[in-house]
Every structure is written in structure tokens, then in C-alpha cells.
Amino acid sequence: MQGVVLDIGSGLGNIARQFQEPLIEEVILSDRDGQMLKALGETTFPLRKYHVRAMDITDPCILDHPGSMADTITCINVLEHIEDDVAALKHMRYLLKKGGKVVIFVPAVQGIYGTLDKLVEHHRRYNERTLRAALQKAGFSIKDAYYMNIFGILTWFWAGRVLKLKEFHKEACHMLDRIVPALRVLESLGSPPLGQSLIMVGESL
């Protein structure tokens, strides 16, 4: 990432805390939720320059914002919550400079969609084909794509499709947190052919 980075749906800013690359000049944190915006405004980030801005990427009024405002847009665990994802992606392209990049991180494998997805109001889960199609419809070319967390497919399927859980269990979440470093080491040996999550990078045409 480089230049001006616009983060869509920043929430509490957990992702933005990782934006420390030397080529990043400025970070714009955005959200549509008033409480999240208030929390972002009260949080100190390890960034040289950042701003907090109220923004609903699904609102057609987004076109009233200055276009070409960002070199990179990050959209982490947001797109799956949006009913018309292509429209939202078109708004992102409007906000990007020509040749700018969008980095999308979404839950993957529609076949494991279950009660936990409904709990957190996911409209869908993606695969490489469906996310690629959405980005291309919005006017992006695809530069990179890869899956993450192949082991999470089974646990998510078991929790949401077999047990049909309607809440997240803290003990299970803590256990997953403990094994994630080991999983990252395994996946660092090569990108898995499938995974619980999908990352895709698009370039504005």
C-alpha cells in the first residue's frame, strides 16, 4: 500500500493499527456508525497522519464526495454485509485514483454459510469466481487473489451448519486464537487451494 489509504468500515480501527508501511502518506478511517466514529476519534493510532470521516459506501450520495481521493482502498470484512456489493464497489472505484488498488477481504465458501453468518448479518460468502465477477462488473482488473485458513472451513461448517450455533463461544474463539500462529506458518509454505477467507486485489481501470 502507498499514498493515501481509505479504509472502508473501519469499526474500532483494529485493521488500521497495522498500517505502518513507509510508503503510506495518510490514512482515512471511515464508518457509518456514530459510535464507531466516536471511538475512532478517541483512539491513538501509530500513523503519521490520519483522519476520521463519516461515510456510507452504499449511499449513492458518495458520488458527492471528491472523486480520486485515495491511492488504495481497504475493505476488510465489510463487502459481505452489503446487499448490492457491485454498487458499493463502483463507489469505491469512484473514490480511487486511476490505477489505484482496492484490497478486499471477505468470508469464503458459500457452502459453509450457516447460522453464524446469519448472526453477523452476512448476505453471502464468496469464492474466487464470484468476487472476481463483482469486481470486474464494477470496473476493476484483478491483480491478485488467494485464500486463507483452509482449516477454518471445517470448524465454521461444524459450528454453523451441523451444530447450528446462534452465538459465538468465547472458549472456542480463544482456542482458535492460540492455534492461528501455527496455521499461519503452515500456510506460509504456499497459498491453500481453498480457505475460510479470501483476499483479492483489484486495480481501477
Side-chain angles (χ1 to χ4, degrees), residues 75-104:
C75 182
I76 312 299
N77 288 327
V78 172
L79 200 63
E80 66 273 14
H81 296 278
I82 299 174
E83 186 171 2
D84 191 344
D85 53 353
V86 174
L89 288 167
K90 286 181 178 179
H91 293 163
M92 293 181 210
R93 185 168 63 87
Y94 170 77
L95 296 173
L96 272 175
K97 298 176 183 178
K98 185 176 177 61
K101 303 289 195 308
V102 62
V103 181
I104 305 292

Side-chain angles (χ1 to χ4, degrees), residues 173-185:
C173 292
H174 290 326
M175 182 183 69
L176 288 174
D177 287 340
R178 289 194 294 270
I179 66 174
V180 161
L183 299 181
R184 285 178 176 168
V185 171

Side-chain angles (χ1 to χ4, degrees), residues 36-77:
M36 294 298 180
L37 291 168
K38 183 175 183 295
L40 287 170
E42 296 172 349
T43 301
T44 300
F45 294 93
L47 309 169
R48 289 172 293 176
K49 185 177 182 182
Y50 70 92
H51 302 285
V52 177
R53 178 174 297 188
M55 182 181 294
D56 181 355
I57 199 64
T58 68
D59 192 337
C61 291
I62 203 77
L63 301 179
D64 295 333
H65 288 258
S68 304
M69 64 184 292
D71 298 284
T72 304
I73 287 180
T74 53
C75 182
I76 312 299
N77 288 327

Side-chain angles (χ1 to χ4, degrees), residues 21-161:
E21 295 186 27
L23 296 180
I24 295 178
E25 300 171 5
E26 177 183 356
V27 175
I28 302 171
L29 310 173
S30 73
D31 210 287
R32 66 179 186 179
D33 184 279
Q35 290 184 328
M36 294 298 180
L37 291 168
K38 183 175 183 295
L40 287 170
E42 296 172 349
T43 301
T44 300
F45 294 93
L47 309 169
R48 289 172 293 176
K49 185 177 182 182
Y50 70 92
H51 302 285
V52 177
R53 178 174 297 188
M55 182 181 294
D56 181 355
I57 199 64
T58 68
D59 192 337
C61 291
I62 203 77
L63 301 179
D64 295 333
H65 288 258
S68 304
M69 64 184 292
D71 298 284
T72 304
I73 287 180
T74 53
C75 182
I76 312 299
N77 288 327
V78 172
L79 200 63
E80 66 273 14
H81 296 278
I82 299 174
E83 186 171 2
D84 191 344
D85 53 353
V86 174
L89 288 167
K90 286 181 178 179
H91 293 163
M92 293 181 210
R93 185 168 63 87
Y94 170 77
L95 296 173
L96 272 175
K97 298 176 183 178
K98 185 176 177 61
K101 303 289 195 308
V102 62
V103 181
I104 305 292
F105 183 98
V106 290
V109 188
Q110 182 64 23
I112 65 173
Y113 185 99
T115 53
L116 294 180
D117 290 286
K118 294 178 182 178
L119 176 67
V120 293
E121 300 181 342
H122 287 172
H123 285 283
R124 69 195 75 80
R125 300 180 73 88
Y126 291 86
N127 58 38
E128 187 173 342
R129 178 185 58 79
T130 57
L131 185 55
R132 179 184 295 271
L135 280 162
Q136 289 176 336
K137 286 180 182 177
F140 290 97
S141 62
I142 309 305
K143 293 302 177 182
D144 199 6
Y146 55 93
Y147 288 100
M148 294 178 61
N149 191 9
I150 190 171
F151 305 99
I153 294 176
L154 179 58
T155 56
W156 194 266
F157 176 83
W158 186 259
R161 294 293 298 273

